[in-house]
């Protein structure tokens, strides 16, 4: 059994026990509910909104994490203008605990 859920502006394929990184939500030990978009149980595929309203996908926050460093470099020719900036996205590692259909 697996589900396609909306997590942090993206869609992720998850099953029970999976560990994944999503945009920052909550603190370590918190329990969160994810919005299911599709549930597949063997040969049964559920995508109807009224049936999906009864489905719950629960996850537990494992720890906070950071994404890879991104370097932003700006340069203009012949003017001496150079600007360097970095960014690391704040993420959360979660573990899927249950999919109740």
């Amino acid at each position: 059994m697996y589900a396609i859920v909306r997590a942090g502006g993206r869609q992720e394929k998850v099953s029970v026990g999976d560990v994944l990184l999503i945009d920052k939500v909550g603190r370590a030990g918190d329990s969160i509910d994810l919005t299911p978009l599709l549930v597949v149980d063997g040969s049964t595929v559920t995508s109807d909104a009224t049936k999906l309203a009864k489905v719950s996908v629960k996850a537990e926050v494992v720890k906070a994490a950071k994404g890879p460093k991104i370097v932003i470099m700006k340069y203009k020719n012949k003017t001496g203008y150079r600007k360097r900036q970095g960014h690391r996205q704040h993420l959360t590692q979660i573990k899927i605990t249950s999919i109740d259909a």
Side-chain angles (χ1 to χ4, degrees), residues 5-20:
V5 296
R6 180 174 293 134
R10 291 185 298 272
Q11 295 177 6
E12 303 279 346
K13 177 183 174 184
V14 298
S15 58
V16 176
D18 284 355
V19 176
L20 61 138

Side-chain angles (χ1 to χ4, degrees), residues 26-42:
R27 296 185 174 181
D30 288 353
S31 179
I32 60 172
D33 292 329
L34 300 172
T35 307
L37 303 173
L38 180 91
V39 175
V40 177
D41 188 8

Side-chain angles (χ1 to χ4, degrees), residues 59-80:
E60 178 185 346
V61 176
V62 178
K63 66 178 182 179
K66 283 188 174 181
K69 180 144 188 168
I70 297 170
V71 177
I72 299 120
M73 193 75 184
K74 295 182 180 181
Y75 172 79
K76 293 197 177 181
N77 196 12
K78 300 177 188 170
T79 61

Side-chain angles (χ1 to χ4, degrees), residues 37-58:
L37 303 173
L38 180 91
V39 175
V40 177
D41 188 8
S43 62
T44 307
V45 178
T46 306
S47 62
D48 184 31
T50 57
K51 291 180 183 176
L52 286 175
K54 299 172 187 169
V55 176
S56 67
V57 178
K58 296 192 186 307

